[in-house]
Amino acid sequence: MICIAIPSRGRPQFLRQLVTSALSTASELKNVAVRYYLNDDDPELSTYVDTLKKLKQEFGEGVQWTIGPDQNTVLSWEQICESFDADYYMLAGDEVTFETQGWDKKFDETKQKYPDGIF
């Protein structure tokens, strides 16, 4: 399982691009989770939630989010990762676009080259 951890604030226009590109290019949709951390005081929060609900209907349980207080980005990444059991964690920005078909398998193949898990 690969967890893509994404803190985001004030930029819901990037949701569809990131989620769609990540999940439509993955070889094993069930092995990828796109998890957002959203700020409870974000003026765009309702747009985030509405869009994420639609994306979850389209792509399933791999689209997830948590809402909490505004905090440091690194702390948000940490909370996303600590709250989810995965083999790999990808710390990403909200503007990322996935372009490589089968990126998830390539990720796993690359891991085999680095037994310490850091790559």
Side-chain angles (χ1 to χ4, degrees), residues 37-50:
Y37 182 91
L38 308 173
N39 299 140
D40 57 10
D41 66 345
D42 188 337
E44 299 287 342
L45 183 59
S46 63
T47 303
Y48 273 103
V49 173
D50 291 344

Side-chain angles (χ1 to χ4, degrees), residues 2-117:
I2 299 170
C3 172
I4 305 168
I6 309 156
S8 187
R9 179 184 179 89
R11 296 164 35 123
Q13 70 271 21
F14 292 116
L15 288 170
R16 181 159 290 284
Q17 170 186 297
L18 191 150
V19 171
T20 301
S21 69
L23 298 178
S24 66
T25 57
S27 300
E28 297 288 335
L29 187 63
K30 68 181 187 322
N31 288 328
V32 178
V34 182
R35 295 179 52 91
Y36 282 89
Y37 182 91
L38 308 173
N39 299 140
D40 57 10
D41 66 345
D42 188 337
E44 299 287 342
L45 183 59
S46 63
T47 303
Y48 273 103
V49 173
D50 291 344
T51 303
L52 286 165
K53 284 180 180 178
K54 290 175 187 170
L55 289 165
K56 187 171 186 166
Q57 287 177 341
E58 188 176 340
F59 289 101
E61 295 301 314
V63 179
Q64 304 173 10
W65 63 94
T66 299
I67 300 170
D70 187 16
Q71 60 191 14
N72 178 289
T73 300
V74 175
L75 182 57
S76 297
W77 274 323
E78 182 180 333
Q79 287 180 352
I80 293 168
C81 296
E82 284 183 346
S83 68
F84 190 77
D85 187 30
D87 300 308
Y88 311 107
Y89 298 91
M90 180 184 296
L91 308 181
D94 59 8
E95 77 288 352
V96 170
T97 300
F98 290 74
E99 297 179 349
T100 304
Q101 281 298 130
W103 65 268
D104 53 327
K105 283 194 175 191
K106 291 179 186 223
F107 202 83
D108 195 47
E109 291 166 1
T110 301
K111 161 65 169 94
Q112 304 310 317
K113 298 176 188 176
Y114 300 93
D116 64 1

